[in-house]
């Protein structure tokens, strides 16, 4: 289905074409007509399905087409992380480039100038505000946020926001909004707590299910069963053996990210790290360098597992086994985007074997296990269904050796 089939305003069509959007994805085909018709929507849709454009496009079109309260926020998009807020704001800027629709991202970690800009937009009115819950609630508590003309509320990655403990903040924000509004809720999964929240927020919603339960078939999935002490030397070995367009490595903790980044820098690789200890300016700078290709390797916590929109990642490496199958699909889904092929490698330690077996059950098939090169010492067997001893290095007690889419065309001057 072409985007011209939705009968969008020509100014929005210009932005769509400049952003190199062509065919609508399944979630866009189903969600866009519902939003244009004024329906509330609850959609199960993961990153990579096109859900961001599924709500931004009809939102922009409705704002263009309807008389607005110039001194109020028209639409509020609530997301779990500053990275996702920034990314959606960038999509918004590109798609609305040829319109007069205004938008701003509101998130923590900025400086005094960012706060002043946010306060001005929230008090004077803006068409679309994309925010994280905590920062928006802080502004609301100061008493100047203008919601009286708000018409749209969008909750993106609602399951992740609840996992991060934002339920109370979200409900406080919603308590400050007009009761009459259109509501859209997007979530990768639909556990009971999401459906309970949906019942409190949405009015007779249409339900869409575009959840991707299995990874892209173009992703080559591999796993190495290792001891913890073998992980860093094996990462170095893999990155030296083959050159990938770019490499995204996920670790389960900030300490692991920092340690691995230090070790990889010693190999002279173009590598950097992203985690919540970094100031926002630094995180944006690192991500920009990775997107532009100045960095070959990015080591990150799960802060980047959802929402990062980079089309040329050749390898996703799970330094630690993800928490569950959904997280696994999100992580490895960062590769093999935009019709490309990609590789996903997971390191499975002794204590992570049962967790990885659960992920394989979700996938419906085992992930092929590669042989750990013998120079790194003996590796553990993969026996997730049996009792496994506490990891001490090896069964002999000897530890192994250490070792964006193209931007829109500019307006004519």
């Amino acid at each position: 289905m072409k985007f011209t089939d939705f009968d969008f305003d020509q100014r929005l069509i210009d932005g769509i074409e400049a952003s190199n959007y062509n065919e609508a994805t399944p979630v866009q085909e189903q969600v866009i007509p519902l939003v244009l018709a004024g329906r509330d929507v609850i959609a199960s849709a993961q990153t990579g399905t096109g859900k961001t454009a599924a709500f931004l496009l009809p939102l922009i079109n409705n704002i263009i087409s309807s008389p607005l309260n110039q001194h109020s926020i028209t639409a509020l998009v609530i997301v779990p992380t500053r990275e996702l807020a920034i990314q959606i704001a960038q999509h918004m800027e590109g798609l609305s480039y040829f319109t007069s629709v205004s938008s701003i991202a509101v998130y923590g970690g900025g400086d005094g100038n960012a706060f002043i800009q946010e306060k001005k937009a929230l008090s004077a009115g803006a068409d679309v505000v994309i925010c994280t819950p905590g920062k928006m609630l802080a502004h609301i508590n100061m008493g100047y946020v203008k919601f009286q003309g708000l018409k749209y509320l969008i909750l993106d990655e609602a399951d992740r926001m609840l996992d991060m403990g934002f339920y109370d903040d979200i409900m406080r924000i919603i308590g400050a909004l007009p009761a009459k509004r259109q509501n859209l809720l997007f979530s990768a999964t639909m556990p009971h707590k999401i459906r309970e929240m949906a019942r409190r927020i949405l009015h007779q919603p249409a339900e869409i299910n575009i959840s991707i339960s299995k990874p892209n078939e173009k992703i080559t999935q591999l796993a190495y069963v290792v001891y913890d002490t073998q992980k860093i030397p094996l990462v170095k070995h893999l990155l030296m053996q083959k050159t990938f367009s770019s490499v995204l490595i996920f670790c389960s903790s900030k300490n692991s990210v920092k340690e691995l980044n230090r070790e990889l820098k010693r190999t002279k690789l173009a590598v950097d790290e992203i985690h919540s200890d970094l100031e926002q300016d630094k995180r944006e700078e690192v991500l920009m360098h990775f997107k532009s290709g100045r960095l070959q390797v990015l080591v990150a916590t799960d802060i980047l597992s959802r929402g990062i929109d980079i089309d040329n990642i050749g390898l996703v490496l799970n330094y630690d086994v993800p928490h569950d199958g959904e997280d696994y699909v999100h992580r490895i889904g960062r590769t093999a985007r935009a019709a490309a092929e990609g590789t996903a490698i997971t390191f499975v330690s002794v204590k992570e074997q049962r967790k990885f077996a659960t992920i394989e059950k979700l996938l419906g098939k085992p992930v092929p296990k590669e042989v750990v090169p013998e120079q790194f010492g003996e590796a553990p067997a993969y026996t997730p269904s049996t009792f496994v001893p506490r990891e001490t290095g090896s069964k002999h007690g000897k530890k192994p050796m250490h070792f964006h889419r193209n931007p829109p065309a500019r307006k004519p001057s």
Side-chain angles (χ1 to χ4, degrees), residues 74-92:
T74 302
L76 183 66
V77 182
I78 306 178
V79 299
T81 66
R82 61 191 73 181
E83 281 73 23
L84 187 54
I86 292 168
Q87 182 168 297
I88 292 176
Q90 290 171 343
H91 277 293
M92 179 75 197

Side-chain angles (χ1 to χ4, degrees), residues 243-258:
T243 301
F244 295 91
S245 55
S246 60
V247 180
L248 182 54
I249 303 177
F250 287 113
C251 299
S252 60
S253 70
K254 292 180 287 188
N255 288 338
S256 294
V257 169
K258 295 172 184 177

Side-chain angles (χ1 to χ4, degrees), residues 3 8 12 25 27-29 31-33 35-36 41 43 45 50-63 75-79 84 87-89 91-92 95 128-130 152-157 182-187:
F3 285 106
F8 286 140
L12 178 55
T25 66
V27 70
Q28 291 162 0
E29 286 187 12
V31 170
I32 289 174
V35 179
L36 292 174
V41 174
K51 64 180 172 61
T52 300
F55 63 79
L56 285 183
L57 290 172
L59 186 63
I60 296 167
N61 194 76
N62 285 354
I63 292 172
L76 183 66
V77 182
I78 306 178
V79 299
L84 187 54
Q87 182 168 297
I88 292 176
H91 277 293
M92 179 75 197
L95 293 172
V128 180
V129 173
I130 304 109
Y152 308 96
L153 170 66
I154 298 96
L155 301 177
D156 194 15
E157 297 200 357
Q182 186 176 359
N183 305 283
L184 313 176
L185 186 152
F186 295 86
S187 182

Side-chain angles (χ1 to χ4, degrees), residues 144-383:
Y144 47 73
V145 181
K146 299 291 178 63
F147 280 136
Q148 69 272 16
L150 185 126
K151 298 173 67 175
Y152 308 96
L153 170 66
I154 298 96
L155 301 177
D156 194 15
E157 297 200 357
D159 54 343
R160 191 175 183 197
M161 287 196 282
L162 266 57
D163 288 342
M164 295 170 70
F166 285 134
Y167 178 83
D168 289 341
D169 285 354
I170 291 170
M171 297 312 295
R172 289 191 190 101
I173 294 170
I174 291 173
L177 306 180
K180 187 176 181 180
R181 61 179 188 269
Q182 186 176 359
N183 305 283
L184 313 176
L185 186 152
F186 295 86
S187 182
T189 58
M190 286 292 167
H192 173 74
K193 58 185 178 180
I194 290 293
R195 295 194 175 276
E196 184 63 34
M197 184 171 74
R199 279 193 288 269
R200 296 187 61 182
I201 298 171
L202 279 64
H203 176 67
Q204 298 181 344
E207 186 163 345
I208 304 297
N209 189 342
I210 310 288
S211 180
I212 302 174
S213 59
K214 302 295 172 64
N216 188 327
E217 291 295 329
K218 293 182 179 179
I219 302 173
T220 300
Q221 300 178 62
L222 304 169
Y224 286 88
V225 182
V226 296
Y227 292 110
D228 281 334
T229 50
Q230 293 173 310
K231 287 186 175 183
I232 288 178
L234 186 55
V235 172
K236 293 180 180 178
H237 173 78
L238 293 173
L239 296 184
M240 294 299 180
Q241 288 294 110
K242 182 178 179 180
T243 301
F244 295 91
S245 55
S246 60
V247 180
L248 182 54
I249 303 177
F250 287 113
C251 299
S252 60
S253 70
K254 292 180 287 188
N255 288 338
S256 294
V257 169
K258 295 172 184 177
E259 180 185 16
L260 181 57
N261 183 51
R262 284 195 301 268
E263 290 293 329
L264 293 181
K265 282 185 181 294
R266 293 173 182 169
T267 67
K268 307 303 181 183
L269 286 168
V271 58
D272 214 328
E273 63 189 31
I274 281 189
H275 47 76
S276 59
D277 282 352
L278 297 180
E279 293 294 330
Q280 179 60 25
D281 288 349
K282 177 61 177 176
R283 289 158 73 170
E284 291 180 21
E285 178 186 350
V286 171
L287 189 56
M288 180 180 66
H289 288 170
F290 185 59
K291 287 183 175 182
S292 68
R294 292 176 61 183
L295 283 178
Q296 181 196 2
V297 182
L298 180 59
V299 187
T301 54
D302 270 339
I303 200 166
L304 287 184
S305 64
R306 303 189 191 195
I308 185 173
D309 189 14
I310 302 175
D311 291 337
N312 63 340
I313 296 175
L315 169 66
V316 170
L317 197 156
N318 292 312
Y319 186 80
D320 304 295
V321 174
H323 178 67
D324 55 30
E326 295 289 352
D327 286 343
Y328 178 84
V329 172
H330 279 304
R331 283 191 187 185
I332 73 170
R334 302 310 93 216
T335 188
R337 294 169 70 90
E341 295 183 351
T343 302
I345 296 175
T346 302
F347 289 174
V348 185
S349 69
V350 173
K351 60 181 178 291
E352 296 172 316
Q353 289 193 13
R354 288 184 179 176
K355 184 163 61 172
F356 193 66
T358 302
I359 292 173
E360 290 180 310
K361 185 176 180 180
L362 172 71
L363 299 175
K365 60 183 178 181
V367 174
K369 312 300 185 298
E370 295 292 290
V371 177
V372 176
E374 58 183 38
Q375 68 260 36
F376 303 126
E378 185 177 1
Y382 187 58
T383 54

